[in-house]
Amino acid sequence: MTTGAGKPVLDAAEFEGLYLRLRQVPAWGSADRRGALNYLTPERVLAAAGEIRLGRTVSLAAPIETGLTPDDPAPAIHEMTGPPGNQADPGGLTFAQDRLGINVHGNVDSHIDALCHIMYRKTLYNGVPADAVTSRGAQELSIEVARDGIAGRGVLLDIPRLRGVPWLEPGDLVTGGELTAAAESQQVSVGPGDLLFVRTGHRRRRNEFGPWDAAKLRAGLHPAALEFIAERKVAVLGSDSNSDTAPSVAEGVETPVHVLAINALGLHLLDYLQFEDLVPLCEAAGRWSFFCVIAPLRLPQGTGSPVNPIAVL
C-alpha cells in the first residue's frame, strides 16, 4: 500500500507481521528487563574503547530550550532561586542557584526513552503488563535499567550525506536499504552491541529555517528499517529527529518505529540529538565510529531522562 506521494505505507496486516517477527528476536527470557542493552557485554565495551584515537570529545545533545516554539508548546522552565550577581553580599559568601523543570518526552530537547515509555496492546516490552506504570511512575522497565550508564561503540550513519543534500525534508523517510548504503558509503560496519545514530539533518534544517510543528511533519525511519537494526543486534538507536517519520507510514499506528524499537525489540531510543558538531570531526578523521558514553539521570520509576551523550574520537 502507498500514499498519494508514493511513500510505502504498511497496512495493518503488514505492520502486525513485522511487529510479531521483531518481537521474537529478543532471546533473554521472560524475566529480562534490559532489552537490547544485553548486547553490550563487558568484552564489547572494552573493545569499543579502542575507537578512541584522537582524545577529542563532543556532545551529541542540543542545548535545552526555554522559549515557546511551534515544536515545543511546553518548553523547559529554568529559573534562578538564588540572587543575581548584583545582589551578592559584598562582604561574605553568596550562592548562585537555579532549578530546572523539563518535559522529558518532547520534540526539541535531547532525551532517552526508557523501555516503559511505549504501551502497545496493554503491554510493555517483553509482555510486562501496562499497569506496571502507575501514577507514581514505572514499577518496571524504568530508566533505572540504565542507571550505570551506557557505553560502547557509536556509529553515525549520515543519510543526507548519502543523498548529497543538507537535510531530509520533513515527512521524508529512511529505508533499511539506505542504512545499508550509508554504511557502505562511509566504510563503516554496524554490528552487535553498537550504539547506532542516524542523521536526518533535522537539527540543521531547524537551525537554518526555524522551528516548525515536528509532531505533525518530520523525517524519520521507515518501520521496515527496524529489520536492519534487529539483524545487526544494535544495542541503542538514536536520531536527530525522533526516529519516527510523521505523518506515520503504518496504518493505525502513530509512532510505529517507537513501537517496534521499544516495545518489540527492547531498544532504548534517543530522540532529538544533534550531530552538527560530530560530523566535521568524523569527516576530518575519515572515520564514522567512535567510543560513546550515555549517562541518563537517576530517575527511579522514570519513563526517560534528559541526556547528553558524549562521543569520544
Side-chain angles (χ1 to χ4, degrees), residues 57-305:
T57 62
V58 60
S59 170
L60 306 186
I64 292 174
E65 298 189 15
T66 58
L68 189 67
T69 57
D71 53 355
D72 200 5
I77 301 171
H78 181 215
E79 56 187 10
M80 298 302 296
T81 59
N86 61 7
Q87 294 181 17
D89 183 351
L93 177 66
T94 304
F95 293 94
Q97 301 177 84
D98 54 358
R99 62 184 172 191
L100 178 69
I102 189 169
N103 172 21
V104 172
H105 304 283
N107 291 304
V108 173
D109 295 317
S110 303
H111 63 273
I112 184 171
D113 294 338
L115 298 186
C116 61
H117 179 48
I118 294 295
M119 304 172 190
Y120 186 62
R121 296 179 177 171
K122 297 186 178 181
T123 64
L124 306 175
Y125 163 71
N126 211 2
V128 174
D131 60 12
V133 182
T134 72
S135 60
R136 298 187 304 276
Q139 311 308 306
E140 295 195 63
L141 299 171
S142 79
I143 198 60
E144 271 286 284
V145 166
R147 64 182 175 271
D148 295 321
I150 302 169
R153 178 179 180 259
V155 176
L156 176 64
L157 296 184
D158 191 336
I159 305 305
R161 183 178 188 271
L162 175 71
R163 296 190 188 181
V165 297
W167 53 70
L168 306 190
E169 289 298 332
D172 204 346
L173 54 84
V174 179
T175 67
E178 285 188 298
L179 295 179
T180 299
E184 292 174 352
S185 173
Q186 295 171 216
Q187 298 183 318
V188 65
S189 63
V190 180
D194 283 348
L195 318 181
L196 178 61
F197 301 101
V198 179
R199 179 176 178 268
T200 67
H202 177 100
R203 188 67 61 170
R204 179 175 172 185
R205 187 184 191 281
R206 186 178 186 272
N207 290 342
E208 295 197 18
F209 286 98
W212 69 94
D213 190 351
K216 294 182 178 179
L217 195 63
R218 62 177 177 266
L221 296 175
H222 188 278
L226 268 293
E227 293 187 296
F228 174 98
I229 309 297
E231 289 168 0
R232 286 154 182 80
K233 300 181 179 179
V234 167
V236 170
L237 175 63
S239 175
D240 52 353
S241 177
N242 83 337
S243 292
D244 261 298
T245 189
S248 172
V249 290
E251 183 181 11
V253 183
E254 183 179 355
T255 55
V257 170
H258 273 62
V259 171
L260 297 173
I262 296 174
N263 192 279
L265 290 174
L267 270 171
H268 287 77
L269 289 185
L270 285 86
D271 298 338
Y272 294 104
L273 304 176
Q274 67 82 25
F275 304 127
E276 305 315 306
D277 297 332
L278 175 62
V279 167
L281 294 180
C282 288
E283 288 179 335
R287 298 175 62 248
W288 297 88
S289 59
F290 42 88
F291 188 66
C292 187
V293 178
I294 303 166
L297 299 178
R298 293 290 301 269
L299 292 174
Q301 303 179 339
T303 63
S305 168

